Each structure stands twice: as structure tokens, then as C-alpha cells.
Amino acid sequence: MMRVEVLFFGKLVDIAGASLVLNNVTSTDELLEQLRLQYPPLAAEKFIMAVDKKTISINTSLTDNCTVALLPPFSGG
Amino acid sequence: MNNDQLYERYQRQLILQGFGAEAQQKLLSASILVIGAGGLGCPLLQYLVAAGLGSIGIVDDDVVSLSNLHRQVLYNVQMIGRPKTDCAVEVLRQLNPQVKFTVYNERLTNKNAATILSAFDVVVDGSDNFATRYLVNDACLLLNKPLVYGAISQYEGQVAVFNVQQNSERSANYRDLFPHPPKEGEVLNCAEAGVLGVLPGIIGSMMANETIKLVTGTGTVLANKLFTYNTLNNQTYELELSKRSETMSLIPATIDALQQTDYEWLCSTASLVNEIDATVFNELIAEGKTAIVDVREKDEQPVVTEFSHIQISLSQLQQHASWLTEDTIIVFCQTGKRSAAAAKQLTELFSSSKKIYSLKGGIQQWMQQQKQTV
């Protein structure tokens, strides 16, 4: 069984909490699909994803025990 | 100031192993541009000036207000209403009279950015909006300037150093991280979401630290990295940034093209939105045939009890638009930014079948005006 930890940052924490664990997701696209089903407001949010602390720009396959982070942009100063 | 006094002023960093006179000399010969003299800008400026930077430019078009003082620690109550740039320099000159200051009491725009940025070695961005952040990033790329970046939201902060020459390559930049600017209202700003005063103090100090390291070549800077810090649980998270192949295609090709790029428009809701002021708003409330929608998140302050309304947060609006059966809809939020985005969404959704208005200046301004008229 695949175990993937998901970390949320910024405003996304208000939607999904600080972190959660998903099982049996094999790619970042799949992970996004599951998260949006579970947390519909996520669909309206802008964020980037990082897999094991490396930012990604295309669908990326996930491995057992990997960590996916979702980061929204901040503009405050 | 003679050499003895200089030695005394910087003694603690001159005796620091790995720093010393050579690094101090690099600071004295460096010029830094600080964009924004707000929450991040205040600690940044204090530490850069104290450390003995040779020349510092400050860009800000804002004036000091009472609500700034919990985090913008250079200012005091006597300064309310005065330009931040003037007040900052007044305080900073007393801290270190040797620093040469250049003040730009104006907004950084696509027209003046290249001229202002050209005069400095390093750019430090402590601005408070996406239009400026993308403009600064793109200008730094075109002018080959390293950019020290910091941004905050609620309890979290981000720090990075963009566009640093390393070997024969430039490190990742803001658009490698977030390629496209979000529209106004998609992301909360400080005025909308609130911020604890210490957070910009921490993040601004980290930016000052990165700037000093960058200028002196001490240690390792956050190039190709994004550092995040959460004040609630003290957790830090450091990401490795990868360059995106499409980034360069998103940046204006030349300074001329940059001057033609409307960053305010890229990050805003443009003119589709009908904004109304408090007077029109009150008239429409009195008519009573209008749906009034609070598009803020649940539990945001202040709670509105003065008129009846429903709450559908901006993120839920598309989903629940069918609840809005009235022909006229007014949306409001804290400052009028998210409601403008909401009005735009609703206008696109209902096209001309409904009249959609956004309360200009938000509920904050409305409440202030009610107080004044009572």
C-alpha cells in the first residue's frame, strides 16, 4: 500500500488542515483529484506543489512514504 | 568619522570569524534598493543600515498610519500621515549617518522600475502586492540584478534569493516558483487577512541576513531554495526550486516591453466590476430588493449586524451562485478587493441578467463612514 503525506501551507490550512495522509495515490494528478473531491474549495485556490521538497511543474509519480507540499503564493509585506 | 570610530562601530562584526574587514568593506561599497518601507521594509532597513551598507535606496508611496505601528517598527504616532520614506530616513540617519540614502517617494511602476533598479547592486523586495512583485522580478531578470525576496501571510513567511549568478548560470526566480500572477482577491493580503507584528520582523530580518551574506559572500544564500517559516508551531520547510523551461517566455523580452506591460492589470480584476460607494450602498439596502453577500471567509472580523445579508465566501461562490435569486446583487468583503473578484465572477456567470455591484473600500471603510455620519 502506498502512503503519501500531504502538507498544506498558508490559506490552504484553513481548507484542509495542516497535513493529512492519503493511501493509494500514484501521481500528483491523482492526488489533486482526490483532494479536490475531499475539499471542493481547493479548486478555487492557486498553489504550487513540491514532491519531497522539490517543486514540480508537471504530473509526477509518487513513491511510498513520499511527502507532497501544497504552497500558495504570499504577497504580504 | 575617523577610522577608530568606524572600527568601534563595526567592531563586533569585524572580529567575527569568516566576516572581518574584507566583508565590511564589501558592505560599505554596496548599494541596495529596498522596495516597500512597510512590515518587511522596517526591520530590513534597520539591520542593513546598522550593518554599514554604503548606499540604500527606499521606494514607497505610502504614508504612516496608526494600523501600521504594530509591525512597522521604524515609525511612531507623531509620524502618522507623513510619507514613510521621509520618516524612515529620518530615523535611519540617526542610527548610521554614514549611509547614503536615496528616497523614491513614489510607487514603483513599469515606467520607472528600470531607471530606479539600475542604480543599485542588489534589489530587496518587501512590497505588499503581486503587481509589484512580478514587476520587480521581471525587471531584475532583464537588468541582471539579484533579488532578495520575502513575503508573509497571516502566520507564515517565505524567503528566497532569486536570480543570483552561480557558476555560469542565474539561479531560479519568482516565476520559476509561481509562473503567473494570481488575480486580485484570489489570495488574501495583510489588510484582508491580518498579520501578527512579529512575523514581518522575523522574515524581514532573515531578508537582511540574506542580503548581507549575498553582498559579502559569507555563508550560503537561499538560491534555488524557498524557505518557509510558520510562527504558530515554529516549523520551517525548505523547498528546492527547479527552473521551469517556460519561465523566460513569460518575461518581457526587453526593458521597452517591460514598460508596456501592465502589471496592475495582470494582477487585478480590470474594469468589468461595478463598484459602489457607501451612499449608493445604503440606498440599495433601503430599497430592500437586493441580495447582499459577504464574500469573506466565515468568522472574519468585523461581524456585520447593521444590515441583513448572507455569507458565501469567495471560494464557494461559483458553487452556491444558484442561491442568488434576486436581480440585484451586492457583494462586500473587508477592503473591496475580494468582493471585486466576486463581482467579476458573478458578472461572468449571470452576464447581463442581473446587476452586480461591489462595495468599494469594503466593510471597513463603510463602517468608518457610518461612524462619521452618526
Side-chain angles (χ1 to χ4, degrees):
Chain A
M1 197 158 92
M2 282 263 294
R3 183 187 181 277
V4 176
E5 191 181 17
V6 189
L7 306 176
F8 299 91
F9 289 82
K11 197 184 154 198
L12 307 182
V13 176
D14 301 341
I15 297 172
S19 69
L20 55 84
V21 171
L22 287 181
N23 295 310
N24 297 322
V25 282
T26 58
S27 71
T28 49
D29 276 2
E30 240 179 78
L31 178 134
L32 268 184
E33 203 176 311
Q34 275 211 22
L35 286 177
R36 282 176 181 152
L37 273 178
Q38 228 171 315
Y39 305 99
L42 270 186
E45 297 299 322
K46 256 211 153 72
F47 54 82
I48 54 135
M49 290 207 284
V51 177
D52 287 335
K53 297 194 169 182
K54 288 196 175 87
T55 56
I56 56 153
S57 46
I58 49 164
N59 186 25
T60 301
S61 33
L62 300 174
T63 52
D64 193 20
N65 284 318
C66 71
T67 304
V68 179
L70 273 63
L71 270 107
F74 295 169
S75 73
Chain B
M1 191 182 265
N2 60 38
N3 279 346
D4 283 351
Q5 278 176 314
L6 269 183
Y7 182 79
E8 194 180 340
R9 176 181 278 273
Y10 302 119
Q11 197 252 358
R12 297 298 196 278
Q13 49 199 51
L14 288 171
I15 60 168
L16 182 64
Q17 204 171 5
F19 203 83
E22 203 185 321
Q24 191 64 52
Q25 191 51 53
K26 285 179 182 165
L27 289 180
L28 284 170
S29 349
S31 60
I32 307 287
L33 180 67
V34 175
I35 296 165
L40 294 171
C42 284
L44 246 168
L45 285 163
Q46 279 178 308
Y47 279 109
L48 294 181
V49 168
L53 258 299
S55 158
I56 293 181
I58 311 172
V59 194
D60 200 303
D61 69 337
D62 202 7
V63 293
V64 177
S65 67
L66 186 59
S67 68
N68 295 150
L69 300 186
H70 87 295
R71 67 190 186 285
Q72 302 183 16
V73 290
L74 277 173
Y75 312 125
N76 62 51
V77 281
Q78 261 89 50
M79 295 172 176
I80 290 170
R82 292 182 51 210
K84 286 183 183 176
T85 45
D86 294 357
C87 298
V89 169
E90 225 170 77
V91 177
L92 296 166
R93 276 223 171 94
Q94 291 186 37
L95 171 60
N96 194 343
Q98 274 76 53
V99 177
K100 180 188 168 227
F101 291 100
T102 313
V103 163
Y104 303 93
N105 182 15
E106 57 193 299
R107 197 170 182 79
L108 194 79
T109 66
N110 55 354
K111 300 289 185 286
N112 65 17
T115 314
I116 295 177
L117 267 63
S118 298
F120 297 89
D121 303 326
V122 176
V123 178
V124 190
D125 186 4
S127 64
D128 63 356
N129 63 87
F130 286 111
T132 306
R133 291 191 179 281
Y134 280 87
L135 167 66
V136 169
N137 181 72
D138 293 0
C140 282
L141 258 77
L142 288 169
L143 298 165
N144 280 335
K145 306 281 180 189
L147 170 61
V148 178
Y149 158 89
I152 53 172
S153 180
Q154 293 181 298
Y155 296 99
E156 283 175 65
Q158 302 175 338
V159 187
V161 182
F162 296 134
N163 202 37
V164 187
Q165 189 78 41
Q166 286 186 324
N167 306 318
S168 59
E169 254 209 317
R170 293 239 156 215
S171 67
N173 66 75
Y174 191 50
R175 285 199 191 253
D176 290 312
L177 182 59
F178 299 110
H180 301 284
K183 299 290 179 197
E184 199 82 68
E186 272 184 345
V187 176
L188 303 171
N189 68 18
C190 281
E192 302 255 319
V195 65
L196 207 58
V198 191
L199 174 63
I202 294 167
I203 299 299
S205 301
M206 290 198 67
M207 292 165 76
N209 189 43
E210 291 304 298
T211 309
I212 291 168
K213 280 163 34 187
L214 184 70
V215 168
T216 57
T218 314
T220 316
V221 295
L222 288 163
N224 293 317
K225 302 252 199 279
L226 177 79
F227 174 89
T228 73
Y229 177 69
N230 184 324
T231 55
L232 285 180
N233 51 26
N234 292 306
Q235 273 181 4
T236 62
Y237 203 71
E238 198 176 297
L239 293 181
E240 213 173 295
L241 303 186
S242 329
K243 285 190 142 190
R244 291 179 194 247
S245 51
E246 77 270 23
T247 296
M248 289 321 286
S249 68
L250 301 173
I251 288 160
T254 61
I255 295 292
D256 277 348
L258 179 94
Q259 290 178 339
Q260 302 305 316
T261 306
D262 189 344
Y263 286 85
E264 297 287 342
W265 183 83
L266 283 176
C267 304
S268 80
T269 49
S271 58
L272 272 170
V273 177
N274 285 319
E275 290 189 310
I276 53 170
D277 61 14
T279 318
V280 178
F281 182 70
N282 290 341
E283 278 169 21
L284 286 167
I285 292 179
E287 274 178 32
K289 292 173 193 160
T290 308
I292 302 168
V293 187
D294 181 355
V295 296
R296 297 178 298 170
E297 298 298 317
K298 263 185 201 134
D299 308 324
E300 271 188 60
Q301 300 293 328
V303 174
V304 178
T305 51
E306 288 83 348
F307 50 86
S308 62
H309 63 279
I310 57 169
Q311 191 272 332
I312 311 175
S313 63
L314 179 61
S315 53
Q316 309 271 333
L317 195 62
Q318 299 273 1
Q319 251 176 298
H320 299 307
S322 58
W323 294 356
L324 303 166
T325 51
E326 291 84 347
D327 289 335
T328 307
I329 302 166
I330 310 175
V331 284
F332 73 87
C333 66
Q334 206 76 338
T335 64
K337 284 184 178 170
R338 276 177 287 168
S339 62
K344 196 183 173 202
Q345 282 187 19
L346 293 175
T347 308
E348 281 165 9
L349 206 63
F350 295 116
S351 58
S352 55
S353 68
K354 289 182 194 295
K355 284 182 194 147
I356 318 282
Y357 300 105
S358 165
L359 175 61
K360 197 177 177 183
I363 201 65
Q364 278 180 347
Q365 198 175 310
W366 182 84
M367 283 188 167
Q368 257 175 12
Q369 284 181 356
Q370 301 312 300
K371 263 187 234 156
Q372 283 161 10
T373 46
V374 167

